[in-house]
Amino acid sequence: MNTKLFVGNLSFNTTENDLQDAFAAHGTVTEANLMTDRSTGRPRGFGFVTMSSPEEAQNAINALNGADLDGRNLTVNEARPREERSSGGGFRGGRDGGKQAAGRRY
């Protein structure tokens, strides 16, 4: 069973190949992804690595959490399931309850 790991505090110079190589030393990497900003395409400083077994994932966590990669100390832990987002619009709160922000006067 595959186990997905969160990898944080990545250098903006780190590539997916760098990430794969670092984790491959601790088991079989089935996937390595860096997250990028949708509008600019620039790295966001974190990513996800999927290891082929829970044991390999734990080995990678033990070895790489706090380890240096491209001059940054990594944060590595098991990824949490993605939270569902509501399909509604953004927050429109404020003292007036969002009425003024929506361009309406009551």
Side-chain angles (χ1 to χ4, degrees):
M1 179 179 161
N2 291 340
T3 302
K4 186 178 264 193
L5 302 176
F6 168 83
V7 185
N9 200 34
L10 290 170
S11 165
F12 294 137
N13 298 321
T14 301
T15 67
E16 286 182 353
N17 285 338
D18 295 335
L19 204 54
Q20 173 132 5
D21 292 345
F23 281 79
H26 306 285
T28 303
V29 175
T30 59
E31 188 175 24
N33 296 312
L34 290 177
M35 298 296 104
T36 55
D37 185 89
R38 286 184 193 162
S39 59
T40 65
R42 297 177 72 188
R44 294 182 61 197
F46 71 95
F48 296 93
V49 174
T50 304
M51 305 295 289
S52 65
S53 74
E55 295 80 20
E56 290 176 344
Q58 191 59 52
N59 289 340
I61 291 170
N62 294 342
L64 296 173
N65 188 38
D68 180 84
L69 180 65
D70 290 333
R72 305 288 299 261
N73 292 335
L74 299 179
T75 299
V76 182
N77 50 48
E78 193 166 340
R80 294 185 298 237
R82 189 173 183 161
E83 291 182 14
E84 293 295 319
R85 294 185 178 190
S86 65
S87 61
F91 174 74
R92 305 223 350 206
R95 289 188 311 200
D96 62 356
K99 295 173 189 163
Q100 195 170 18
R104 294 181 235 129
R105 297 229 182 243
Y106 293 90

